[in-house]
Amino acid sequence: REALAVTARLCGPELERYGRCVASSPGSWHRDCHRLRDSVTRCASGHPLVRRIRRDCSDSLGALERCLREHPGNSAECGPSAGEFLLCAQSVTGDSPSVTPGDTPEV
């Protein structure tokens, strides 16, 4: 949650543009919104917390990104991968987990 809050605070305009693109391109967002996703990543990557999450959770983040690429029109398939990444990120930030293993959070 803290990492998302940091990203939203520091990179709000980039995040908003990316979100609008994803919402308007449900079947092709992974192709159509690639540059916008990169702009959010570039913006957020300067924050120490985000860098630590990317470093410490690289395995689960990679698995989530692969899943999203493999299931571009059905992100619900990636619920388990998203849950693992969220658990890892929460352990890095010290947030108490709001997702338990086996849950399928919305992506």
Side-chain angles (χ1 to χ4, degrees), residues 18-103:
Y18 178 59
R20 281 196 309 260
C21 181
V22 169
S24 67
S25 306
S28 60
W29 65 267
H30 61 287
R31 287 186 311 272
D32 297 346
C33 307
H34 180 74
R35 276 187 262 143
L36 293 171
R37 183 192 69 171
D38 288 348
S39 72
V40 172
T41 301
R42 277 191 307 275
C43 178
S45 66
H47 194 278
L49 177 62
V50 175
R51 287 198 306 261
R52 196 165 69 235
I53 290 171
R54 289 184 66 81
R55 182 192 68 217
D56 294 356
C57 302
S58 62
D59 290 344
S60 59
L61 178 58
L64 175 57
E65 289 174 338
R66 275 190 303 282
C67 183
L68 290 170
R69 278 194 305 274
E70 292 168 4
H71 303 283
N74 189 8
S75 62
E77 289 286 325
C78 302
S81 297
E84 289 300 317
F85 173 68
L86 290 173
L87 285 172
C88 181
Q90 288 168 343
S91 73
V92 170
T93 63
D95 282 349
S96 59
S98 60
V99 176
T100 56
D103 281 355

